[in-house]
Structures are given as C-alpha cells and as structure tokens.
Amino acid sequence: MTIEVPAATVDATFDRVLNRLASRAKIEGFRPGKAPRALVEARIGPAVLREEVVEAMVAEVVRQALDEKSIDPIDNPDVEVLELERGRPAKLKATISVMPEVTLADATTLKVEPPDHTHEVTDELLDRRLDELRAPMAEITPVEREVRMGDIAVIDIEVEADGQIVESESRKSTEGEVKDGVLLPELVAVLPGTFVDETREAKVSFPDTYSNPQLAGKEATIRVTVRGVKEKVLPRSTTSWSRA
C-alpha cells in the first residue's frame, strides 16, 4: 500500500515535534524550555528531527489508512518512508500481511475412501516388535567368549589409507553393537567369532562425499581388535500369544 500524507499534516507534525523537543531542551543561556525553536532544531540536527517526526506520524497515518480500506493486518505493517520533508506531501510504502481468502468446498460433494489398514501379522513381525519393546530394558553383561551377532563389542579401531594411519578416525576401547545398521556392514561381517585380543581386518570403500578428505573416494583398511565382549540379555516375555 502506498500512502500519501498531506503537506499540512507533515508541517503540523514537524511543529508538534519541535515544540516538544524545545520544551525539554537545556541550552546554555536560556531557561529550560525557553530556547528558540530554530536554535533547538540546529542543535539536534535534521537527521534526529526527521526520525522523531517519523516516529510521531507514521503509526497513526498507517492506522488511518488501514481503517479507511477496512484492512485487518495479522501483524505490524513494514513501513518504508519514501519522501518526507517540510512543505511537501509525504509518501509512505506499507507492506501488510493479511489472512488469505479461503474458499471452502462443498462438503456434500467430497468422497473419501478409507485407507486399507489390513495387514497380516506374522510370527516374524510379532517377534520383531516384541524385541523392540524389550530392547530398552536389556541387561548388558560381560562374557568370556567369542563375539556373536547382537553382542556389544569393546574394540580398538585403526583406519589406514594410502599407507598412513588416519588418527582422526581411529578409536580406543569404543563400544559397538554387532548389528546391521549400527556398525559398518564390513565390520559386522568379520567380527563374529573373534575372541578378546584378536584382530580382524576389513576393506572399506568410502564415498567421494565422505566428510574426511583423507578417506573421501578411497579404499581403506579398518583393523579391529576386540578388547571385551558384552552380551545383551533381553528380559523374558511372559505374554502368551494364541491364534484362533
């Protein structure tokens, strides 16, 4: 919305602002509020005076313009002062956010097909869901045996590429669940059957987009030394399931 403000309103606002500033001004040689307006204006400068006029005039002018056009904004308008000087009309540009117009469809003509929620519940699906529910309550117990799928392996990891150890990717005594989706598939393939202090190697090809430039787009050797094995024991399920 472009809003034009009559010159008379602009001049009246300048006069009102100057009167207010002059009544508070403390200028040497004059009693408080008695200094000439011209002197007060020279002291405060045109930039400060203009800012005071904008603050005193813009909000009321925009409100009146919105009322005249019956516009109900949903937030405060963003106002840009295009022109503002004494003796001339002012020009403002207001960007206003309003609620969008919504045309509702005829509900009687709508047809909704209910989704098909029928699924076959197999023993495999049921067991997997039960394991997911029991997993947060599992007990982690150290064991003295080889690594098995589903165990928590305590491992040292050493990564080598181009004949050099990549220290930023190497780890000491880190824990990882030997499970697809947790460890790299290459490590899941070699860890089962490994005993404490045994080392296994796996070749891993890293994508070009890998975050570490020492490994991006390269084939690396990952050496994994097992330092401990922990068994993940799920709580027993006491629920009996039967099917008709």
Side-chain angles (χ1 to χ4, degrees):
M1 175 188 292
T2 299
I3 305 171
E4 292 194 1
V5 185
T9 301
V10 174
D11 291 344
T13 305
F14 268 95
D15 289 341
R16 186 169 72 253
V17 168
L18 267 175
N19 288 336
R20 175 168 55 81
L21 294 176
S23 68
R24 300 184 310 191
K26 294 181 180 180
I27 299 178
E28 186 177 353
F30 297 92
R31 287 182 297 170
K34 298 298 182 181
R37 291 199 325 173
L39 180 58
V40 174
E41 183 174 352
R43 285 291 181 89
I44 65 175
V48 174
L49 177 59
R50 186 177 189 275
E51 184 178 338
E52 292 281 347
V53 170
V54 168
E55 184 175 345
M57 181 183 68
V58 168
E60 179 62 22
V61 167
V62 172
R63 185 191 64 77
Q64 290 177 358
L66 294 177
D67 289 344
E68 289 174 2
K69 294 186 178 293
S70 300
I71 296 176
D72 185 17
I74 60 176
D75 58 8
N76 292 326
D78 183 13
V79 182
E80 179 183 359
V81 180
L82 302 178
E83 298 177 15
L84 177 62
E85 59 181 277
R86 278 193 180 112
R88 298 186 59 183
K91 184 178 289 186
L92 313 177
K93 179 182 177 182
T95 302
I96 304 153
S97 299
V98 296
M99 292 294 291
E101 294 184 4
V102 179
T103 302
L104 297 178
D106 183 0
T108 60
T109 64
L110 298 178
K111 293 183 179 180
V112 179
E113 294 294 335
D116 182 10
H117 289 299
T118 59
H119 299 284
E120 182 184 359
V121 179
T122 64
D123 289 340
E124 181 184 357
L125 286 174
L126 187 59
D127 291 340
R128 186 164 67 236
R129 182 55 180 155
L130 286 173
D131 287 344
E132 290 174 357
L133 294 173
R134 292 156 61 205
M137 297 179 286
E139 292 185 4
I140 308 300
T141 306
V143 291
E144 296 183 3
R145 58 165 172 75
E146 79 285 359
V147 176
R148 298 174 185 171
M149 287 293 292
D151 283 344
I152 305 296
V154 183
I155 50 178
D156 293 344
I157 302 174
E158 184 179 77
V159 182
E160 181 180 331
D162 295 334
Q164 294 184 334
I165 302 300
V166 183
E167 296 292 346
S168 60
E169 298 286 336
S170 299
R171 300 287 186 272
K172 292 288 187 182
S173 298
T174 188
E175 293 188 352
E177 186 175 1
V178 186
K179 177 181 178 182
D180 292 331
V182 179
L183 292 180
L184 290 173
E186 294 85 351
L187 297 183
V188 174
V190 299
L191 275 173
T194 308
F195 287 88
V196 172
D197 294 333
E198 275 193 287
T199 301
R200 297 287 176 91
E201 291 187 358
K203 298 290 185 181
V204 178
S205 296
F206 288 88
D208 295 335
T209 55
Y210 194 69
S211 58
N212 191 329
Q214 290 181 270
L215 295 174
K218 298 178 181 179
E219 183 177 78
T221 299
I222 300 182
R223 297 186 186 89
V224 181
T225 302
V226 176
R227 299 304 183 191
V229 182
K230 298 180 181 180
E231 185 176 16
K232 192 173 182 180
V233 181
L234 298 177
R236 295 183 60 185
S237 175
T238 57
T239 303
S240 298
W241 296 89
S242 62
R243 292 182 175 86

